[in-house]
Amino acid sequence: MFGKLVNYAVSDNEVAVTYEGQQVTVKVITDEIIRVLVPLWKKDYESIAIEGDPSVPVDFEVTGSEGTVEIKTGAVTLTLKDDFQFVFTNCEGTTLLSSYKGKRAIKPTLSDTAVKLLEAEGHVLDEGQKPHEIELLFNLREDERFYGLGDKTGFLNKRGYSYENWNSDIPQLHHENMPALYKSIPFVIGASADATYGLFFDNTFHSYIDMGCESTEYFFYGADDGNIDMYFMAGEAMADIIEHYTYLTGRAPLPQLWTLGYHQCRWGYESATDIRDIATKMRENKIPCESVQYDIDYMEVYRVFTWDETNYEPKGQLIADLAKDGFKAVCIIDPGVKVDKGYFMYDQGVENDYFAHDPETDEIYVNEVWPGDSVYPDFGRADVRDWWGDSHKKLVDMGMQGIWNDMNEPASFRGPLPDDVKFHIEDRLTDHSEVHNVYGHFMSMATYEGMKKLTGKRPLVITRACYSGTQKYSAIWTGDNQSVWSHLRMLTPQLCNLGISGFPIAGTDIGGFGGNTNPELLTRWIQAATFSTFFRNHCAKGHIMQEPWNFGEQVTNIYRKYVELHYRFLPYIYDLLFECQITGLPVMRPLVLHYEDDENTFNLNDEYLVGENILVAPVVDPGVRKRMVYLPVGTWINYWNGARFTGGQHILVDSPIDTMPIFIKEGSIIPMYEPVQYVGEKPYDTLELLVTGDSCFGYHYQDNGEDFEYLQGQYNLYSFTYENEKLETELLHEGYKRYNEIRVVKL
Ligand code: MIG
């Protein structure tokens, strides 16, 4: 298809490379980020993940000789040759990534007889390997590992697995080698002894990424349609790659402080009485809680933006009452609008032509979701997003403070939406095959903008489906997990990979959504989730009640201990989210991110770091009361008893049912608050500093935790040094009311 490299032309930061059969554009975005665009589909395509032009002026050299072009920045050289062979090298000349010369080794398909026999025994055969419309093969190193890719199931290191990007609503058990879940984040970090690099494939059509599952010689990217639009990112360390990726696709804005607190939910709190009862029990049991969230039960026949006044009391009453006790209101909103003449959302949408259309009849396209026959807002259009955003006024007027977006893959009950259902991206008419993976993205955007306009606060939006870049608008949760140990085990790799992929505000349904949880599983789950930035227990209709008090006093006491611990660490978590706006680094991090030369961290699936200074080793198997913990280089202090350990070794740690091993890195200062029943119960006017040695350093960020005034400088940034038993406080920025007291506590 490409053939010989014929010539090239340089203009500004672009190099247009002409092959016999194809044009390729190389764009130098920064010294370390190079975009390679093969416009197989469209040249004037605009990215959805990357808003605006990220390129900065860069000095780079272009040289060419027969069949070769070399593009050299201060950090990376891309050499392109005939047949679109390429290699990225660093300044030292080390190859970071190169194209694979051979073809895919697709195995022969099974005979009909074999298929029949296998099916007779009950095997479900997948479609098997097949060539994709677009394919790009890369050389695979023997020791190459892969991290990132969003919410994909399985382990931290994605080597040996094959995944797809096609947002999928999967109520069945999310097993380890599932091709796809709800989110499409085609970003991966490759790491080996020789090289660290990042790849982002900006293409929203159904795509594939195989990281050494099919072959030990190559890994590949494939797509059904669209362009090859690849961003190559170089960097000394994984942290640099994350910084580059989030530089391109954006960073999560600082959330309201309360949104980081604990939330209780259930699909199947069927009335205001249920909600009141749960709220009361939360306070009676002294388990800190910010919201008892409203799942689809609160609506009138699942019509979005309505409120069931029969079962949920007159509009605003319940919310206002609970607000007196510190509860904030968060409700679910699905995209599907019920087909129902006389219902305002349906009528307005029809009148203004806001819904997707059927390609054949050109009528409004109808499928089925919770409300029965439903239609799909065309969120890619700015006017539809404005309408949707403004529609939240009814809820905001009732006191709603956060919105939880579900079913936006988009899900459909009467079979998948056909690829050719007509949607738009801005003014351009296109179809479902392009829009599918960004449907949740555009819905989140609409919700964020609407809530921001209506409340003036930093919006809490939680979405199930999304694409690269959605982190600018929404937090996420990992969808319908189940009450099984394998899903508790998956929490760490899944949230770590989501964090690496730009989503620092994330969580799993604590206790498991589907199925019946049990006392030990729930206990270990709340422990493992202690540092989650979206911290919610949620359970599906039809299963046993999942609030902690249903499992007796011991579970309730341990549960409270960890929810309180979460509130103790809230300022540390918030500081990390502040930092994330600058570096893109997540709150919850795999050890390999900070100890990338230490092979003990390469495949460490059951420990995580919170920032750089807290190491958490959750227990994720039943019956386990001692566990092995790997401590990387440095001195680590057991949070529970102050015992000190030299890192670079595996240790055995007691982990009775009420204990999850937590270690703090010596030399750090961890800011902490007193636990409260909810954020806002009393002013946070005392800061506690946990100091961890004779010579410690830390910083802390403080603002009003609610609105956008911090962008106008209304915040404090402290730096702390603790030396000779004395604390030195420096204000790097002063713009907010300072603490009355800063107290040192020694670990
Ligand atoms: O098909 O709103 O993932 O959190 O409770 C079920 C009901 C629809 C799926 C979400 C889940 C939510 C449930 N929803």
Side-chain angles (χ1 to χ4, degrees), residues 627-655:
R627 64 153 289 178
M628 182 174 72
V629 176
Y630 179 68
L631 297 173
V633 67
T635 300
W636 296 89
I637 309 166
N638 186 323
Y639 173 74
W640 300 111
N641 58 22
R644 293 176 123 74
F645 298 89
T646 305
Q649 61 164 335
H650 291 85
I651 59 170
L652 191 65
V653 183
D654 282 332
S655 50

mmCIF file of all heavy atoms in Angstrom, residues 627-655:
data_model
loop_
_atom_site.group_PDB
_atom_site.id
_atom_site.type_symbol
_atom_site.label_atom_id
_atom_site.label_comp_id
_atom_site.label_asym_id
_atom_site.label_seq_id
_atom_site.Cartn_x
_atom_site.Cartn_y
_atom_site.Cartn_z
ATOM 1 N N ARG A 627 0.385 -11.635 55.128
ATOM 2 C CA ARG A 627 0.699 -11.596 53.708
ATOM 3 C C ARG A 627 2.118 -11.111 53.444
ATOM 4 O O ARG A 627 2.695 -10.374 54.238
ATOM 5 C CB ARG A 627 -0.321 -10.804 52.901
ATOM 6 C CG ARG A 627 -0.450 -9.334 53.170
ATOM 7 C CD ARG A 627 -0.948 -8.607 51.932
ATOM 8 N NE ARG A 627 0.119 -8.581 50.915
ATOM 9 C CZ ARG A 627 -0.019 -8.056 49.700
ATOM 10 N NH1 ARG A 627 -1.192 -7.564 49.326
ATOM 11 N NH2 ARG A 627 0.986 -8.034 48.853
ATOM 12 N N MET A 628 2.609 -11.521 52.298
ATOM 13 C CA MET A 628 3.929 -11.088 51.876
ATOM 14 C C MET A 628 3.788 -9.687 51.300
ATOM 15 O O MET A 628 2.859 -9.413 50.548
ATOM 16 C CB MET A 628 4.452 -12.039 50.806
ATOM 17 C CG MET A 628 5.844 -11.695 50.350
ATOM 18 S SD MET A 628 6.488 -12.947 49.232
ATOM 19 C CE MET A 628 5.532 -12.650 47.757
ATOM 20 N N VAL A 629 4.696 -8.819 51.689
ATOM 21 C CA VAL A 629 4.675 -7.453 51.159
ATOM 22 C C VAL A 629 6.046 -7.157 50.586
ATOM 23 O O VAL A 629 7.064 -7.409 51.237
ATOM 24 C CB VAL A 629 4.335 -6.431 52.261
ATOM 25 C CG1 VAL A 629 4.415 -4.998 51.733
ATOM 26 C CG2 VAL A 629 2.953 -6.702 52.852
ATOM 27 N N TYR A 630 6.076 -6.632 49.391
ATOM 28 C CA TYR A 630 7.352 -6.198 48.834
ATOM 29 C C TYR A 630 7.530 -4.712 49.120
ATOM 30 O O TYR A 630 6.660 -3.897 48.810
ATOM 31 C CB TYR A 630 7.429 -6.445 47.327
ATOM 32 C CG TYR A 630 8.758 -5.946 46.798
ATOM 33 C CD1 TYR A 630 9.940 -6.593 47.147
ATOM 34 C CD2 TYR A 630 8.844 -4.782 46.032
ATOM 35 C CE1 TYR A 630 11.173 -6.115 46.740
ATOM 36 C CE2 TYR A 630 10.082 -4.292 45.618
ATOM 37 C CZ TYR A 630 11.242 -4.971 45.980
ATOM 38 O OH TYR A 630 12.469 -4.490 45.587
ATOM 39 N N LEU A 631 8.658 -4.381 49.736
ATOM 40 C CA LEU A 631 8.969 -2.980 49.984
ATOM 41 C C LEU A 631 10.126 -2.578 49.073
ATOM 42 O O LEU A 631 11.187 -3.213 49.110
ATOM 43 C CB LEU A 631 9.381 -2.775 51.447
ATOM 44 C CG LEU A 631 8.303 -3.094 52.491
ATOM 45 C CD1 LEU A 631 8.886 -3.013 53.896
ATOM 46 C CD2 LEU A 631 7.106 -2.147 52.346
ATOM 47 N N PRO A 632 9.949 -1.568 48.257
ATOM 48 C CA PRO A 632 11.053 -1.144 47.391
ATOM 49 C C PRO A 632 12.091 -0.375 48.198
ATOM 50 O O PRO A 632 11.895 -0.118 49.395
ATOM 51 C CB PRO A 632 10.369 -0.245 46.362
ATOM 52 C CG PRO A 632 9.153 0.267 47.042
ATOM 53 C CD PRO A 632 8.737 -0.770 48.048
ATOM 54 N N VAL A 633 13.152 0.024 47.543
ATOM 55 C CA VAL A 633 14.280 0.675 48.221
ATOM 56 C C VAL A 633 13.813 1.879 49.054
ATOM 57 O O VAL A 633 12.873 2.573 48.689
ATOM 58 C CB VAL A 633 15.347 1.066 47.166
ATOM 59 C CG1 VAL A 633 14.823 2.158 46.242
ATOM 60 C CG2 VAL A 633 16.642 1.474 47.804
ATOM 61 N N GLY A 634 14.447 2.084 50.187
ATOM 62 C CA GLY A 634 14.037 3.156 51.101
ATOM 63 C C GLY A 634 13.701 2.553 52.451
ATOM 64 O O GLY A 634 13.789 1.340 52.638
ATOM 65 N N THR A 635 13.312 3.405 53.385
ATOM 66 C CA THR A 635 12.874 2.892 54.684
ATOM 67 C C THR A 635 11.375 3.076 54.777
ATOM 68 O O THR A 635 10.853 4.161 54.481
ATOM 69 C CB THR A 635 13.589 3.637 55.826
ATOM 70 O OG1 THR A 635 14.983 3.424 55.663
ATOM 71 C CG2 THR A 635 13.148 3.124 57.187
ATOM 72 N N TRP A 636 10.692 2.034 55.149
ATOM 73 C CA TRP A 636 9.235 2.043 55.203
ATOM 74 C C TRP A 636 8.761 1.764 56.620
ATOM 75 O O TRP A 636 9.278 0.882 57.289
ATOM 76 C CB TRP A 636 8.660 1.007 54.231
ATOM 77 C CG TRP A 636 8.985 1.343 52.814
ATOM 78 C CD1 TRP A 636 10.101 0.968 52.116
ATOM 79 C CD2 TRP A 636 8.212 2.170 51.936
ATOM 80 N NE1 TRP A 636 10.056 1.496 50.840
ATOM 81 C CE2 TRP A 636 8.913 2.237 50.702
ATOM 82 C CE3 TRP A 636 6.991 2.853 52.056
ATOM 83 C CZ2 TRP A 636 8.428 2.964 49.603
ATOM 84 C CZ3 TRP A 636 6.509 3.574 50.965
ATOM 85 C CH2 TRP A 636 7.224 3.628 49.758
ATOM 86 N N ILE A 637 7.750 2.508 57.051
ATOM 87 C CA ILE A 637 7.281 2.398 58.431
ATOM 88 C C ILE A 637 5.849 1.878 58.439
ATOM 89 O O ILE A 637 4.982 2.427 57.752
ATOM 90 C CB ILE A 637 7.314 3.784 59.118
ATOM 91 C CG1 ILE A 637 8.703 4.419 58.905
ATOM 92 C CG2 ILE A 637 6.984 3.670 60.592
ATOM 93 C CD1 ILE A 637 8.733 5.888 59.235
ATOM 94 N N ASN A 638 5.647 0.825 59.203
ATOM 95 C CA ASN A 638 4.306 0.260 59.319
ATOM 96 C C ASN A 638 3.394 1.289 60.002
ATOM 97 O O ASN A 638 3.659 1.719 61.123
ATOM 98 C CB ASN A 638 4.378 -1.044 60.130
ATOM 99 C CG ASN A 638 3.042 -1.765 60.157
ATOM 100 O OD1 ASN A 638 1.973 -1.133 60.217
ATOM 101 N ND2 ASN A 638 3.085 -3.092 60.111
ATOM 102 N N TYR A 639 2.341 1.683 59.306
ATOM 103 C CA TYR A 639 1.461 2.739 59.813
ATOM 104 C C TYR A 639 0.800 2.348 61.135
ATOM 105 O O TYR A 639 0.524 3.193 61.975
ATOM 106 C CB TYR A 639 0.389 3.060 58.757
ATOM 107 C CG TYR A 639 -0.671 4.026 59.240
ATOM 108 C CD1 TYR A 639 -0.379 5.385 59.396
ATOM 109 C CD2 TYR A 639 -1.955 3.583 59.564
ATOM 110 C CE1 TYR A 639 -1.341 6.275 59.853
ATOM 111 C CE2 TYR A 639 -2.922 4.470 60.028
ATOM 112 C CZ TYR A 639 -2.607 5.812 60.169
ATOM 113 O OH TYR A 639 -3.551 6.683 60.628
ATOM 114 N N TRP A 640 0.579 1.061 61.315
ATOM 115 C CA TRP A 640 -0.185 0.616 62.484
ATOM 116 C C TRP A 640 0.646 0.522 63.755
ATOM 117 O O TRP A 640 0.137 0.705 64.850
ATOM 118 C CB TRP A 640 -0.846 -0.747 62.207
ATOM 119 C CG TRP A 640 -1.795 -0.681 61.042
ATOM 120 C CD1 TRP A 640 -1.613 -1.266 59.821
ATOM 121 C CD2 TRP A 640 -3.031 0.019 60.978
ATOM 122 N NE1 TRP A 640 -2.670 -0.975 58.991
ATOM 123 C CE2 TRP A 640 -3.568 -0.193 59.676
ATOM 124 C CE3 TRP A 640 -3.761 0.812 61.876
ATOM 125 C CZ2 TRP A 640 -4.784 0.359 59.260
ATOM 126 C CZ3 TRP A 640 -4.974 1.357 61.459
ATOM 127 C CH2 TRP A 640 -5.477 1.131 60.171
ATOM 128 N N ASN A 641 1.945 0.198 63.604
ATOM 129 C CA ASN A 641 2.729 -0.005 64.823
ATOM 130 C C ASN A 641 4.097 0.663 64.805
ATOM 131 O O ASN A 641 4.906 0.482 65.717
ATOM 132 C CB ASN A 641 2.887 -1.505 65.104
ATOM 133 C CG ASN A 641 3.560 -2.215 63.940
ATOM 134 O OD1 ASN A 641 4.264 -1.585 63.138
ATOM 135 N ND2 ASN A 641 3.359 -3.511 63.821
ATOM 136 N N GLY A 642 4.379 1.421 63.762
ATOM 137 C CA GLY A 642 5.630 2.177 63.731
ATOM 138 C C GLY A 642 6.873 1.347 63.423
ATOM 139 O O GLY A 642 7.980 1.887 63.412
ATOM 140 N N ALA A 643 6.722 0.049 63.185
ATOM 141 C CA ALA A 643 7.898 -0.789 62.891
ATOM 142 C C ALA A 643 8.556 -0.329 61.587
ATOM 143 O O ALA A 643 7.873 -0.029 60.614
ATOM 144 C CB ALA A 643 7.483 -2.254 62.782
ATOM 145 N N ARG A 644 9.883 -0.261 61.615
ATOM 146 C CA ARG A 644 10.625 0.239 60.447
ATOM 147 C C ARG A 644 11.272 -0.904 59.677
ATOM 148 O O ARG A 644 11.798 -1.836 60.274
ATOM 149 C CB ARG A 644 11.722 1.200 60.906
ATOM 150 C CG ARG A 644 11.185 2.468 61.492
ATOM 151 C CD ARG A 644 12.327 3.333 62.024
ATOM 152 N NE ARG A 644 12.321 4.660 61.413
ATOM 153 C CZ ARG A 644 11.440 5.590 61.716
ATOM 154 N NH1 ARG A 644 10.463 5.358 62.568
ATOM 155 N NH2 ARG A 644 11.502 6.778 61.135
ATOM 156 N N PHE A 645 11.266 -0.790 58.374
ATOM 157 C CA PHE A 645 11.850 -1.827 57.519
ATOM 158 C C PHE A 645 12.707 -1.182 56.446
ATOM 159 O O PHE A 645 12.348 -0.139 55.901
ATOM 160 C CB PHE A 645 10.757 -2.645 56.835
ATOM 161 C CG PHE A 645 9.880 -3.388 57.798
ATOM 162 C CD1 PHE A 645 8.732 -2.776 58.310
ATOM 163 C CD2 PHE A 645 10.204 -4.669 58.210
ATOM 164 C CE1 PHE A 645 7.925 -3.447 59.211
ATOM 165 C CE2 PHE A 645 9.400 -5.344 59.112
ATOM 166 C CZ PHE A 645 8.258 -4.730 59.619
ATOM 167 N N THR A 646 13.804 -1.846 56.158
ATOM 168 C CA THR A 646 14.616 -1.407 55.031
ATOM 169 C C THR A 646 14.049 -2.060 53.782
ATOM 170 O O THR A 646 13.761 -3.255 53.779
ATOM 171 C CB THR A 646 16.076 -1.854 55.245
ATOM 172 O OG1 THR A 646 16.470 -1.339 56.507
ATOM 173 C CG2 THR A 646 16.974 -1.304 54.163
ATOM 174 N N GLY A 647 13.869 -1.243 52.762
ATOM 175 C CA GLY A 647 13.253 -1.745 51.534
ATOM 176 C C GLY A 647 14.181 -2.614 50.717
ATOM 177 O O GLY A 647 15.297 -2.941 51.147
ATOM 178 N N GLY A 648 13.687 -3.008 49.542
ATOM 179 C CA GLY A 648 14.433 -3.908 48.684
ATOM 180 C C GLY A 648 14.291 -5.334 49.147
ATOM 181 O O GLY A 648 15.127 -6.187 48.876
ATOM 182 N N GLN A 649 13.232 -5.617 49.888
ATOM 183 C CA GLN A 649 13.012 -6.995 50.350
ATOM 184 C C GLN A 649 11.520 -7.299 50.505
ATOM 185 O O GLN A 649 10.689 -6.400 50.600
ATOM 186 C CB GLN A 649 13.721 -7.207 51.685
ATOM 187 C CG GLN A 649 13.194 -6.287 52.787
ATOM 188 C CD GLN A 649 13.592 -6.743 54.186
ATOM 189 O OE1 GLN A 649 13.853 -7.920 54.416
ATOM 190 N NE2 GLN A 649 13.604 -5.828 55.136
ATOM 191 N N HIS A 650 11.255 -8.587 50.512
ATOM 192 C CA HIS A 650 9.904 -9.058 50.800
ATOM 193 C C HIS A 650 9.812 -9.334 52.289
ATOM 194 O O HIS A 650 10.713 -9.943 52.856
ATOM 195 C CB HIS A 650 9.605 -10.353 50.038
ATOM 196 C CG HIS A 650 9.491 -10.146 48.562
ATOM 197 N ND1 HIS A 650 10.573 -10.139 47.724
ATOM 198 C CD2 HIS A 650 8.408 -9.945 47.777
ATOM 199 C CE1 HIS A 650 10.165 -9.933 46.477
ATOM 200 N NE2 HIS A 650 8.852 -9.813 46.484
ATOM 201 N N ILE A 651 8.734 -8.893 52.904
ATOM 202 C CA ILE A 651 8.566 -9.191 54.331
ATOM 203 C C ILE A 651 7.201 -9.851 54.539
ATOM 204 O O ILE A 651 6.312 -9.745 53.686
ATOM 205 C CB ILE A 651 8.681 -7.926 55.221
ATOM 206 C CG1 ILE A 651 7.626 -6.883 54.824
ATOM 207 C CG2 ILE A 651 10.072 -7.326 55.143
ATOM 208 C CD1 ILE A 651 7.533 -5.721 55.802
ATOM 209 N N LEU A 652 7.068 -10.513 55.662
ATOM 210 C CA LEU A 652 5.794 -11.142 55.992
ATOM 211 C C LEU A 652 5.110 -10.261 57.042
ATOM 212 O O LEU A 652 5.701 -9.931 58.065
ATOM 213 C CB LEU A 652 6.054 -12.546 56.545
ATOM 214 C CG LEU A 652 4.819 -13.429 56.679
ATOM 215 C CD1 LEU A 652 4.225 -13.740 55.303
ATOM 216 C CD2 LEU A 652 5.171 -14.731 57.400
ATOM 217 N N VAL A 653 3.885 -9.874 56.761
ATOM 218 C CA VAL A 653 3.209 -8.912 57.630
ATOM 219 C C VAL A 653 1.905 -9.497 58.148
ATOM 220 O O VAL A 653 1.145 -10.113 57.387
ATOM 221 C CB VAL A 653 2.910 -7.616 56.838
ATOM 222 C CG1 VAL A 653 2.271 -6.568 57.734
ATOM 223 C CG2 VAL A 653 4.174 -7.066 56.203
ATOM 224 N N ASP A 654 1.651 -9.293 59.424
ATOM 225 C CA ASP A 654 0.373 -9.738 59.994
ATOM 226 C C ASP A 654 -0.765 -8.921 59.405
ATOM 227 O O ASP A 654 -0.678 -7.702 59.324
ATOM 228 C CB ASP A 654 0.374 -9.529 61.515
ATOM 229 C CG ASP A 654 1.174 -10.615 62.211
ATOM 230 O OD1 ASP A 654 1.253 -11.738 61.650
ATOM 231 O OD2 ASP A 654 1.731 -10.335 63.284
ATOM 232 N N SER A 655 -1.804 -9.625 59.020
ATOM 233 C CA SER A 655 -2.959 -8.907 58.485
ATOM 234 C C SER A 655 -4.243 -9.555 58.985
ATOM 235 O O SER A 655 -5.004 -10.110 58.201
ATOM 236 C CB SER A 655 -2.909 -8.888 56.964
ATOM 237 O OG SER A 655 -2.703 -10.198 56.474
#
